[in-house]
Amino acid sequence: MGMTITEKILARASNKNMVSPDDVVIANIDKVMVHDVSGPGVIKVFSEWEKKGINLDHIWNPDRVWISEDHFVPASDRISANNITLLTNWTKKYNIKKHFKYGLGQYGICHTLSHEEGLVLPGEIYVGGDSHTNTTGAMGSLAVGLGHTDIAYVLMYGKIWFKVPETILFKINGNKPEYIMAKDIILKIIGDIGTDGANYKAMQFAGETVDRLSMEERLTLTNMSTEAGAKNGIIEPDETTFEYLKTRTDKKFSPVKGDFDASYSDTITYDIENLDPIIAKPFSPENICTVGDLEGRSIDKAYIGSCTGAKLEDLRMVAKILKGKHVKIRTEVLPAAQSIYFKAIKEGLVSIFLEAGAVVGPPTCGACCGAHMGVLAKDEICISTTNRNFPGRMGHVESQTYLASPIVVAAAAINGKITDPRNEML
Amino acid sequence: MNILRGKVHKYNKDNIDTDVIIPGPYLKIHDHKELGKHAMEGLDPNFSQKISEGDFLLTGKNFGCGSSREHAPIALHQVGIRAILSPSFARIFYRNAVDGGYLLPIEIDSEVIEKISDKDELEINLDNNTIINSTSNEVFKIKPLPDIISKIVKAGGLLYFKI
């Protein structure tokens, strides 16, 4: 019996010839990330451990660690400003050189940096102090989100325990219509299997549609595997992956693919040729319907941001809809990283947004997690390219968030109400 | 450690997520006492005042779904919660609860939820994997902790568990 890509990466990292679902392995870790929320959490764990006599003069390997400032930048208040200082002193202490600082060159949302900067390579195991670490699995890596204690442990020892997950294979076939984006596909899947449909499992995406998807679109699929509870989302690396990495890194890597006789706990097939644009209603990403079902529903604000919904191609699709039009509701665009922001300026996308009346803000997780930079009021209704819409996620517990693709959000922005994007693209 | 006794607080709702357990604005806070004050604020603003040291939570399935914030098990531990009974847990929450040594996640059959009322006194026995409802004198089976989890729990958290 062969192994899936997830099983093969775990086997290699734990020096085993073969692993099977439910095996517990101790895996050596290739890359680690913490940000300005999990970083101070890890620092707190370190200080507790030091009180217990653990020697923390050095960490395992500072060159395999990178830091992003993304959740509370620009600093929203004195506490978040202090957290950034705390994190900066800590990375200096441990000689961690890759610290992407707000206002100092390239920076952005951690998951976006992981691919935009070529920080994680095919075949690697990457753990991050954030649940959407899953995103980076689109690069053919095993990318898993962990909490502060686990990350602190990895920083000390360079390894951690994993239970080998079963893999659900999602085979996505059919020609993708121009009004459909990866966001529609993943919302459809989450709606079908539920927010615990892949709990503890790997979600692997394959099929002719995935083969043809760009790297950035693939990243939307793996990003939201988190919303189905998955341990990891993963796509086998191919020419698209290698081409994407060519301009981003000169590091060597050894990609892994699954065996032809690998075993999957389930194989679920989609034909997306006739898929209607999908939207997730409050208060869960699984609460989906077609955009057409909600046609005409009034919206107060459109938010285009986050690791899943403000990559360069997302912004291009938004610009396509907004070009030459005016927004009817408040519309906020926050590119996912400084490099993407800069490219959007060079391509003229930012001018289109500004001419349409939208505001363009600095890269940050911002209001996606209800932190700052445009949080919602009581009863306020937002349509957003982000990935969660739990109660209070983007602000007041009685605010409402609809999740949709950048195309659908842009169509709502120019109409002030939920609109089937096919009406805007004819 | 193998027998825990306490009062249970019932929130029979599926998919209680981390944004409800500890809302986003508190993510910048790393003072455990302060986090405890805001535990479950998204669902019950008076939660922290209702809990005594050693109490349990009883919830619907997929408890702790959403983000990887360790603030969630920390906040619940800080107010006094020691174990959570649920048909299922989201994976990162489960892992954080165990590896950080904060809480015991106990998987139960979903039918058991109906047989336990808010404020019942329970005894959780990890030696024979049962819960005794001391208020109603009923006994329920719980799912045994997986081997690795049991070892980490016994060690008191991942730090003390030699891998």
Side-chain angles (χ1 to χ4, degrees):
Chain A
M1 179 73 76
M3 291 187 283
T4 66
I5 176 175
T6 296
E7 290 157 4
K8 280 175 101 167
I9 294 175
L10 276 171
R12 188 162 83 180
S14 57
N15 300 313
K16 289 179 188 294
N17 293 325
M18 173 89 195
V19 298
S20 304
D22 290 342
D23 287 355
V24 172
V25 298
I26 310 299
N28 293 313
I29 302 300
D30 294 298
K31 303 282 168 59
V32 186
M33 178 279 297
V34 295
H35 52 48
D36 60 329
V37 167
S38 52
V42 168
I43 294 168
K44 180 92 177 167
V45 173
F46 267 31
S47 71
E48 296 294 321
W49 287 0
E50 277 181 321
K51 281 183 212 158
K52 289 168 183 165
I54 306 284
N55 180 350
L56 285 164
D57 290 346
H58 304 283
I59 57 168
W60 145 73
N61 189 342
D63 295 337
R64 291 183 176 273
V65 184
W66 51 278
I67 312 290
S68 78
E69 298 177 1
D70 53 16
H71 278 64
F72 287 92
V73 289
S76 60
D77 58 12
R78 281 171 286 184
I79 297 172
S80 48
N82 286 341
N83 280 340
I84 295 294
T85 307
L86 183 72
L87 193 60
T88 305
N89 292 338
W90 185 77
T91 57
K92 274 187 196 149
K93 178 182 172 185
Y94 288 111
N95 203 22
I96 298 168
K97 296 189 186 73
K98 285 198 201 80
H99 183 146
F100 297 94
K101 291 196 72 60
Y102 173 79
L104 195 60
Q106 170 70 318
Y107 89 99
I109 303 174
C110 53
H111 313 301
T112 309
L113 295 176
S114 77
H115 57 85
E116 186 74 1
E117 291 294 304
L119 297 169
V120 180
L121 303 170
E124 291 187 336
I125 297 196
Y126 159 56
V127 296
D130 191 285
S131 61
H132 287 112
T133 299
N134 291 27
T135 311
T136 316
M139 310 299 299
S141 57
L142 178 61
V144 181
L146 296 175
H148 312 158
T149 300
D150 282 351
I151 292 289
Y153 193 91
V154 173
L155 289 173
M156 274 173 67
Y157 299 114
K159 57 187 177 181
I160 192 105
W161 70 274
F162 286 112
K163 190 169 85 170
V164 178
E166 292 179 337
T167 296
I168 307 176
L169 182 64
F170 293 88
K171 274 192 167 167
I172 301 157
N173 297 322
N175 286 322
K176 187 174 72 65
E178 60 166 352
Y179 48 83
I180 291 294
M181 294 185 75
K183 179 58 68 67
D184 298 288
I185 299 170
I186 190 66
L187 284 174
K188 170 72 178 148
I189 290 173
I190 296 164
D192 288 348
I193 68 172
T195 51
D196 61 352
N199 202 6
Y200 304 109
K201 294 181 183 171
M203 288 174 84
Q204 184 175 332
F205 303 95
E208 58 185 42
T209 312
V210 177
D211 292 344
R212 286 196 294 265
L213 282 182
S214 67
M215 204 60 233
E216 285 197 352
E217 280 282 85
R218 292 179 182 186
L219 287 151
T220 299
L221 297 178
T222 46
N223 176 284
M224 290 193 64
S225 67
T226 305
E227 273 52 63
K231 169 173 275 173
N232 66 306
I234 199 161
I235 297 172
E236 292 190 338
D238 61 6
E239 279 311 310
T240 302
T241 325
F242 304 141
E243 197 57 38
Y244 181 88
L245 282 168
K246 237 181 223 170
T247 55
R248 291 172 164 84
T249 183
D250 51 12
K251 297 251 165 50
K252 296 264 181 297
F253 52 88
S254 27
V256 172
K257 286 193 177 201
D259 295 322
F260 73 93
D261 56 347
S263 163
Y264 299 91
S265 69
D266 206 353
T267 299
I268 302 174
T269 305
Y270 283 89
D271 183 342
I272 59 140
E273 206 140 320
N274 299 313
L275 183 68
D276 291 313
I278 301 290
I279 191 164
K281 296 173 278 185
F283 291 98
S284 173
E286 73 180 29
N287 195 14
I288 63 160
C289 63
T290 68
V291 172
D293 288 342
L294 301 179
E295 182 80 33
R297 184 165 296 194
S298 285
I299 296 287
D300 298 317
K301 132 171 174 172
Y303 186 88
I304 294 134
S306 86
C307 49
T308 188
K311 304 180 287 318
L312 187 61
E313 287 170 32
D314 298 324
L315 301 184
R316 283 182 187 147
M317 296 314 288
V318 171
K320 207 171 164 182
I321 307 275
L322 294 191
K323 191 169 185 178
K325 305 220 168 81
H326 286 277
V327 294
K328 284 207 178 121
I329 48 175
R330 281 189 298 129
T331 300
E332 301 166 17
V333 184
L334 293 92
Q338 185 83 338
S339 53
I340 290 173
Y341 195 175
F342 201 16
K343 286 174 200 164
I345 288 173
K346 286 184 188 161
E347 287 187 18
L349 310 181
V350 170
S351 297
I352 293 171
F353 301 148
L354 297 177
E355 276 161 13
V359 69
V360 181
T364 175
C365 300
C368 171
C369 57
H372 64 138
M373 299 279 287
V375 298
L376 305 179
K378 184 175 185 292
D379 299 326
E380 200 167 16
I381 302 170
C382 177
I383 187 164
S384 177
T385 65
T386 55
N387 42 31
R388 289 196 182 125
N389 60 349
F390 299 132
R393 169 71 181 178
M394 292 188 76
H396 196 280
V397 76
E398 289 176 48
S399 61
Q400 296 179 37
T401 297
Y402 290 83
L403 304 175
S405 79
I407 291 176
V408 173
V409 173
I414 54 172
N415 290 296
K417 56 192 181 188
I418 293 173
T419 308
D420 193 311
R422 281 169 284 203
N423 301 335
E424 298 302 329
M425 297 181 88
L426 292 175
Chain B
M1 187 61 207
N2 285 343
I3 295 180
L4 290 88
R5 293 186 185 85
K7 184 161 67 176
V8 71
H9 301 269
K10 184 171 177 176
Y11 291 86
N12 189 8
K13 190 171 181 296
D14 293 342
N15 305 312
I16 294 176
D17 64 88
T18 52
D19 281 304
V20 162
I21 301 169
I22 186 83
Y26 303 119
L27 292 182
K28 63 191 169 206
I29 294 169
H30 294 278
D31 176 72
H32 291 189
K33 277 189 188 146
E34 187 62 28
L35 287 173
K37 287 181 199 164
H38 304 290
M40 299 286 270
E41 201 171 273
L43 188 62
D44 179 357
N46 301 316
F47 181 81
S48 63
Q49 288 127 49
K50 293 179 182 169
I51 308 299
S52 305
E53 179 76 23
D55 283 0
F56 310 134
L57 267 188
L58 173 65
T59 76
K61 69 170 182 148
N62 200 25
F63 183 84
C65 63
S67 95
S68 62
R69 60 191 72 167
E70 199 156 309
H71 307 60
I74 289 171
L76 292 170
H77 171 87
Q78 191 62 40
V79 286
I81 298 290
R82 291 294 172 266
I84 303 178
L85 313 173
S86 171
S88 64
F89 295 87
R91 62 161 286 273
I92 306 185
F93 180 88
Y94 187 96
R95 212 181 155 117
N96 286 344
V98 170
D99 284 358
Y102 306 111
L103 303 159
L104 205 51
I106 303 279
E107 291 186 344
I108 53 169
D109 289 333
S110 42
E111 304 83 69
V112 172
I113 297 177
E114 297 308 323
K115 296 177 180 167
I116 299 175
S117 304
D118 192 39
K119 308 289 186 288
D120 279 0
E121 294 286 338
L122 304 183
E123 182 180 302
I124 300 172
N125 187 326
L126 293 179
D127 289 328
N128 61 14
N129 294 307
T130 56
I131 303 173
I132 299 171
N133 186 339
S134 311
T135 307
S136 68
N137 286 320
E138 282 183 284
V139 181
F140 310 108
K141 278 273 169 210
I142 57 177
K143 290 183 192 157
L145 294 174
D147 190 46
I148 176 109
I149 301 301
S150 176
K151 285 177 180 158
I152 297 171
V153 166
K154 278 187 185 137
L158 188 61
L159 177 63
Y160 304 104
F161 173 67
K162 295 286 170 256
I163 60 176

